[in-house]
Amino acid sequence: MTINLDVHESVYRERLLEHLLIGDLLKHSWLYAGATLEVSQPSIDRSGHDVVLEANGVTRHVQLKTSSKAATTASQKVHVGLSKKPSGCVIWTRFNSESMVLGPFMFFGGEPGSSLPSLADFPVAKHTKGNADGVKKERPNLRVVSISKFRKIANVPALYVALFGTVHEALAL
């Protein structure tokens, strides 16, 4: 019997992709931005962010999402707590499920130093499973954001600029 790792090891895959992304951003910082990127992770996921990235005077509270390039995922659930954080954003990493190569990336956020676009007009998310009565209750802290609201970013260097501004600015610090 063949085990489908995507199904049986989804948490492992999620953590692997997170480490690959952070590693690629750190590598880019090392090679092109004076090794200025700092990475922190919250002990408790209360405000929706999975990681805090800081470089070039910009602090980003980042919610991480992933899906394979073959997936037809049309939206993501974004935590409203991100709008209360400085430069909150969502990085939706698309990846090749055969090679685990990352990219392109989908980005939902403002310019470096700017807040997350308003979530007020997005629909409230619902639980995927119904309760005992079959009712799928609302999840008031989550909004459903369509893929059309995300900006496509081709590679890690362009993602780094979207997060923190130009490399030249980083080297001047």
Side-chain angles (χ1 to χ4, degrees), residues 132-173:
D133 298 322
V135 176
K136 294 180 180 180
K137 293 195 173 186
E138 288 189 340
R139 299 179 72 187
N141 289 330
L142 297 176
R143 298 294 181 270
V144 179
V145 179
S146 167
I147 193 170
S148 67
K149 299 298 181 183
F150 284 77
R151 179 168 42 121
K152 187 175 183 178
I153 298 178
N155 53 39
V156 169
L159 179 61
Y160 197 91
V161 170
L163 290 167
F164 308 114
T166 65
V167 173
H168 298 94
E169 293 169 0
L171 293 175
L173 292 177

Side-chain angles (χ1 to χ4, degrees), residues 46-49 63 77-85 88 90 108 116-125 139-145:
R46 184 174 180 275
S47 299
H49 62 279
Q63 186 175 11
K77 294 173 182 162
V78 177
H79 198 287
V80 296
L82 281 178
S83 61
K84 297 178 181 134
K85 299 293 182 183
V90 180
F108 181 72
L116 185 74
S118 174
L119 296 171
D121 294 330
F122 291 100
V124 175
R139 299 179 72 187
N141 289 330
L142 297 176
R143 298 294 181 270
V144 179
V145 179

Side-chain angles (χ1 to χ4, degrees), residues 10-173:
S10 61
V11 174
Y12 187 105
R13 183 185 74 176
E14 180 181 321
R15 295 294 292 172
L16 168 63
L17 293 166
E18 180 178 326
H19 285 287
L20 290 172
L21 174 61
I22 291 169
D24 283 351
L25 289 168
L26 286 167
K27 180 169 58 173
H28 182 82
S29 178
W30 177 269
L31 294 171
Y32 305 106
T36 57
L37 178 61
E38 294 184 26
V39 180
S40 303
Q41 294 187 305
S43 296
I44 299 170
D45 181 7
R46 184 174 180 275
S47 299
H49 62 279
D50 300 297
V51 65
V52 179
L53 305 173
E54 192 277 322
N56 201 18
V58 176
T59 301
R60 291 281 196 174
H61 289 75
V62 183
Q63 186 175 11
L64 298 171
K65 301 290 187 177
T66 61
S67 60
S68 77
K69 288 181 182 181
T72 58
T73 309
S75 62
Q76 291 290 350
K77 294 173 182 162
V78 177
H79 198 287
V80 296
L82 281 178
S83 61
K84 297 178 181 134
K85 299 293 182 183
S87 293
C89 64
V90 180
I91 299 173
W92 180 357
T93 302
R94 307 299 305 268
F95 65 95
N96 180 313
S97 59
E98 300 291 320
S99 65
M100 301 307 281
V101 171
L102 306 184
F105 303 93
M106 305 304 290
F107 181 79
F108 181 72
E111 294 298 316
S114 298
S115 61
L116 185 74
S118 174
L119 296 171
D121 294 330
F122 291 100
V124 175
K126 292 187 178 190
H127 284 278
T128 54
K129 295 182 180 178
N131 63 13
D133 298 322
V135 176
K136 294 180 180 180
K137 293 195 173 186
E138 288 189 340
R139 299 179 72 187
N141 289 330
L142 297 176
R143 298 294 181 270
V144 179
V145 179
S146 167
I147 193 170
S148 67
K149 299 298 181 183
F150 284 77
R151 179 168 42 121
K152 187 175 183 178
I153 298 178
N155 53 39
V156 169
L159 179 61
Y160 197 91
V161 170
L163 290 167
F164 308 114
T166 65
V167 173
H168 298 94
E169 293 169 0
L171 293 175
L173 292 177

